[in-house]
Amino acid sequence: MTTSFIEHLPTAHYRSSRDERSSAAVLRATLAELDDRGYASASLRTIAARAEVPLETVFSQWRSKQHLVHDAIEHLAASQPRPETGDVRADLLQVAEALIELLTHAGAAQVLRSMVAAVDGDGAAGVALRIGGLGERRAGVRRIVERGQRRQQFPSSLHPGLVADALIGGVVYRLLVSNESLNTRTAAGLVDAIVVGQTDA
């Protein structure tokens, strides 16, 4: 590996409560700007104006629009719920729908593609896991399956990690490789492909 993926990840330095408030305002403004104008038209200048902060504040914490959008998507991911309904299918469906909503947000796919393309080998995998909290979401799917296995809702012979790979991987494959549709029907199809037949196994 010739390039460290760390070099391509965002670095924001929060030093005070005022900095944190400004940073949160910029992240919210970034998401709103992406919704209104899309990734290509958004700029650090327009985002700063929307957040009502000096442009220097944005430049002091994010090196580029790519880095800022990455952090904004992470901010959005952190606000999404972690389901625990007591039903395996319902929990997996919520995870899949939330992930699809996140990764189809304006700018998310562009940032994911550009960051993965910027590195190689193990670094690419590390970047991919950072986008949208994919590593954390994979761990969350594992926990859902393990809970279902303890409740005997899911066969103990099925490895939780494989379920997580199938669900998260299916979403990311459609986003980055096949370019096929990603919506609530996709989420239901992926979950049912995993769950249907397993609970009766």
Side-chain angles (χ1 to χ4, degrees):
M1 185 174 69
T2 58
T3 305
S4 170
F5 79 90
I6 297 296
E7 295 298 317
H8 300 276
L9 293 177
T11 53
H13 305 288
Y14 307 131
R15 293 178 296 276
S16 68
S17 59
R18 182 177 179 180
D19 289 336
E20 290 175 0
R21 288 193 298 271
S22 295
S23 297
V26 171
L27 295 174
R28 289 193 299 270
T30 301
L31 293 171
E33 187 77 358
L34 291 173
D35 281 337
D36 290 347
R37 296 165 55 89
Y39 181 77
S41 298
S43 70
L44 297 184
R45 185 177 299 278
T46 57
I47 289 168
R50 186 184 285 262
E52 299 181 342
V53 301
L55 181 59
E56 292 75 15
T57 298
V58 179
F59 277 119
S60 70
Q61 297 187 62
W62 291 279
R63 299 200 302 269
S64 69
K65 179 172 72 172
Q66 175 182 310
H67 289 84
L68 176 53
V69 171
H70 175 281
D71 266 11
I73 297 299
E74 292 294 291
H75 178 72
L76 182 60
S79 69
Q80 291 184 322
R82 301 294 185 262
E84 190 170 351
T85 66
D87 178 81
V88 171
R89 184 185 183 279
D91 286 353
L92 292 177
L93 186 59
Q94 286 189 43
V95 170
E97 289 176 346
L99 180 60
I100 288 172
E101 178 186 358
L102 185 74
L103 293 182
T104 54
H105 193 284
Q110 293 95 321
V111 170
L112 179 54
R113 288 190 181 98
S114 63
M115 294 185 78
V116 171
V119 292
D120 56 12
D122 295 337
V127 168
L129 288 174
R130 286 287 300 274
I131 300 291
L134 293 186
E136 181 182 346
R137 287 169 191 272
R138 183 181 185 276
V141 172
R142 287 186 59 123
R143 289 192 293 270
I144 290 169
V145 174
E146 289 166 354
R147 290 199 302 264
Q149 288 173 332
R150 288 194 295 270
R151 293 191 297 262
Q152 298 184 331
Q153 295 177 342
F154 217 68
S156 58
S157 59
L158 195 62
H159 194 287
L162 292 178
V163 176
D165 291 342
L167 184 58
I168 304 298
V171 172
V172 174
Y173 181 88
R174 280 188 165 235
L175 180 76
L176 296 183
V177 181
S178 70
N179 238 357
E180 295 176 79
S181 61
L182 277 174
N183 49 43
T184 54
R185 291 183 61 186
T186 308
L190 285 169
V191 170
D192 286 340
I194 296 168
V195 174
V196 171
Q198 295 300 331
T199 54
D200 297 326

